[in-house]
Amino acid sequence: MSKLTTEVKNVISRQGVFPIATASRDGVPNVVPMTFVKVYDDENLLVVDNFMHKTKQNIESNPYMSICVWDQENKLSYQIKGKVTIHDLGPVFDQARVWVKEKMPALQPKSAVLLKVTNIYVCQPGESLGQEL
């Protein structure tokens, strides 16, 4: 299991839109732009389900997700992969709902998705391209 480093956390905190990739049980890919993504703790990312349709169907049958994060100014980029769990009740969902209400009060979150980080790969050009952190 990979842990989110300070550098990766900083990149995530500066990014506004995150491409989230999932795949159906049959391997059909799906990528969507998400704005409600943040570090939950050293091993998890929180993704809020405000409008998920295909993405939610995919993770219900194939609970794996990949997220690409980047910082153009500092020329840093990472691919984060992991297994997800859906929370529609309890403290994870409650925290997600509070976060969304602070940012966009009109939205009604449907669930919270926790991505348990399993792998982080370097995506910026250079000697470490493709290497796992």
Side-chain angles (χ1 to χ4, degrees), residues 43-106:
E43 299 176 352
N44 294 279
L45 294 180
L46 174 64
V47 180
V48 181
D49 169 12
N50 292 304
F51 304 106
M52 289 181 187
H53 181 66
K54 282 187 263 178
T55 299
K56 190 164 187 180
Q57 288 175 342
N58 284 351
I59 60 179
E60 286 173 342
S61 66
N62 179 8
Y64 295 92
M65 180 181 283
S66 183
I67 298 177
C68 184
V69 299
W70 64 89
D71 177 347
Q72 288 181 312
E73 184 178 323
N74 295 301
K75 297 181 179 19
L76 298 170
S77 181
Y78 302 95
Q79 180 189 57
I80 302 169
K81 294 184 179 192
K83 188 170 183 179
V84 299
T85 54
I86 299 172
H87 302 261
D88 53 13
L89 294 170
V92 174
F93 178 62
D94 293 342
Q95 291 174 38
R97 212 171 49 205
V98 166
W99 179 38
V100 170
K101 290 297 175 194
E102 288 173 354
K103 300 286 184 183
M104 298 185 79

Side-chain angles (χ1 to χ4, degrees), residues 1 14-15 23 43 64 76 88 90 103 109 115 128 132:
M1 297 284 169
R14 290 191 291 272
Q15 189 163 327
E43 299 176 352
Y64 295 92
L76 298 170
D88 53 13
K103 300 286 184 183
L115 182 146
S128 60
E132 187 169 2

